Amino acid sequence: MGNFLAGKAVAVTGAGRGIGRAVALACAAEGAKVVVADQGVAVDGGTPESGVAEAVVKEITAAGGEAVAVGEDISTMEGGRRVVETAVSRYGRIDGAVCAAGILRERMLFNMTEEEWDPVLATHLKGTFTVFRAAAAAMRRQRTGALVGFTSGNHQGSVSQANYSSAKGGVISLVRSAALGLHKYGVTANAVAPVARTRMSANVPMELTEIGEPEDVAPLVVYLLSERARQAEITGQVYTAAGPKIAVWAQPRELRAAYAEDSWTPERIAELLPGTVGTDPMPLLDRLKEMADAAARKDRPNA
């Protein structure tokens, strides 16, 4: 057992499998008391198995740690609140909230239904909000704490996962808003965009050249939850963890601007914009054919 998180109470959603499980185990190994939150649903959000959270608790306690299982629906305000309240009532405080729960329902945008859109946004984005909302209130009173949201490289856009990429882009904006709003209370907020072999990555139809295991992501999350990260004022950041690689994403900013002497007209914009303001190239456009060919072959190179 380590002591990087000694004395801290941490709640982790999606902690029954994959990256969430790896994070829960790593937090416990570094001395944290852990709320293992997971309904145990399938990749598409169906067929819940409540035993997955209990199984992780058994792993933690067998290794000498302390943990409790929670099977709440974090897409509801009550579910998010109960995850946080479990930590507070059981351990007296909540020092870290990690939101790793997620589901996938793939469909091209022109075929996507409301039933495929809403649950994905509810799990990823609202599920992060409900836990952050409850945790932020407690952390504000404590004047300390750390929030960690999970995003994805797919926040850049996706061919057949507009719901997922929209949710993951929303998580980044939520994290940045939390960082700004909670900074004066001593609370940090960051996002992690992992590239790891999980149930979700197995369905990506193009080879992820930089990919690790769930256990490769956990050390970065542990660090972001720690006093070391808070003392270094690490907040409002998006980090990628992919095997041996850690990278930071750029903050949104203007690239180029042009100004009209009086006012713009569509004709004047057509004349000037391509050669002045221009565009910011979209890297994924160059990979579309490769992705389409792989999808047509039903390749699963990351399985």
Side-chain angles (χ1 to χ4, degrees):
M1 299 287 286
N3 60 4
F4 215 74
L5 299 179
K8 292 186 179 294
V10 175
V12 184
T13 71
R17 299 187 178 99
I19 294 172
R21 171 182 170 272
V23 168
L25 293 174
C27 288
E30 290 294 339
K33 299 175 177 66
V34 183
V35 176
V36 179
D38 202 316
Q39 284 191 303
V41 297
V43 173
D44 66 357
T47 59
E49 301 172 24
S50 59
V52 297
E54 291 285 359
V56 175
V57 168
K58 289 178 181 177
E59 287 186 78
I60 291 173
T61 55
E66 190 171 347
V68 60
V70 175
E72 296 291 337
D73 178 2
I74 47 96
S75 71
T76 69
M77 294 298 288
E78 176 64 14
R81 184 179 64 80
R82 296 222 10 175
V83 169
V84 173
E85 283 188 349
T86 299
V88 174
S89 62
R90 183 88 171 222
Y91 305 125
R93 57 189 299 109
I94 174 79
D95 298 288
V98 181
C99 295
I103 63 171
L104 281 181
R105 294 190 181 181
E106 290 187 273
R107 189 78 64 189
M108 296 298 288
L109 179 59
F110 43 78
N111 286 327
M112 187 170 288
T113 66
E114 189 174 18
E115 290 71 28
E116 289 160 341
W117 174 272
D118 285 352
V120 173
L121 271 290
T123 302
H124 289 276
L125 183 54
K126 188 179 177 184
T128 301
F129 163 70
T130 66
V131 175
F132 275 16
R133 164 65 178 85
M139 291 173 180
R140 179 189 175 206
R141 292 191 294 270
Q142 295 170 177
R143 311 290 296 193
T144 185
L147 305 173
V148 178
F150 267 72
T151 183
S152 163
N154 266 13
H155 77 267
Q156 301 171 93
S158 172
V159 173
S160 60
Q161 297 175 343
N163 46 7
Y164 178 75
S165 61
S166 297
K168 289 308 190 183
V171 167
I172 291 177
S173 294
L174 174 57
V175 161
R176 288 178 172 144
S177 297
L180 293 172
L182 298 171
H183 178 70
K184 67 180 180 180
Y185 302 109
V187 179
T188 64
N190 294 284
V192 174
V195 186
R197 292 180 182 87
T198 66
R199 295 184 299 169
M200 290 190 187
S201 69
N203 293 317
V204 177
M206 63 178 180
E207 184 177 3
L208 300 172
T209 56
E210 293 181 308
I211 187 169
E213 302 299 330
E215 291 74 19
D216 296 322
V217 181
L220 175 60
V221 178
V222 169
Y223 168 70
L224 294 174
L225 293 170
S226 72
E227 287 301 307
R228 295 279 293 276
R230 193 165 74 92
Q231 290 165 5
E233 298 186 344
I234 307 283
T235 195
Q237 304 301 305
V238 180
Y239 292 103
T240 284
K245 170 186 171 181
I246 292 176
V248 65
W249 289 78
Q251 297 285 337
R253 55 177 63 89
E254 288 185 0
L255 296 179
R256 291 170 294 275
Y259 296 86
E261 292 182 4
D262 296 313
S263 60
W264 289 105
T265 65
E267 292 82 1
R268 188 64 176 147
I269 293 172
E271 291 173 4
L272 291 180
L273 186 143
T276 55
V277 175
T279 65
D280 184 20
M282 192 176 185
L284 289 180
L285 279 176
D286 295 332
R287 302 188 67 185
L288 280 181
K289 186 178 186 307
E290 174 191 349
M291 294 164 63
D293 290 346
R297 295 192 302 267
K298 299 188 183 303
D299 287 352
R300 298 178 73 234
N302 309 295

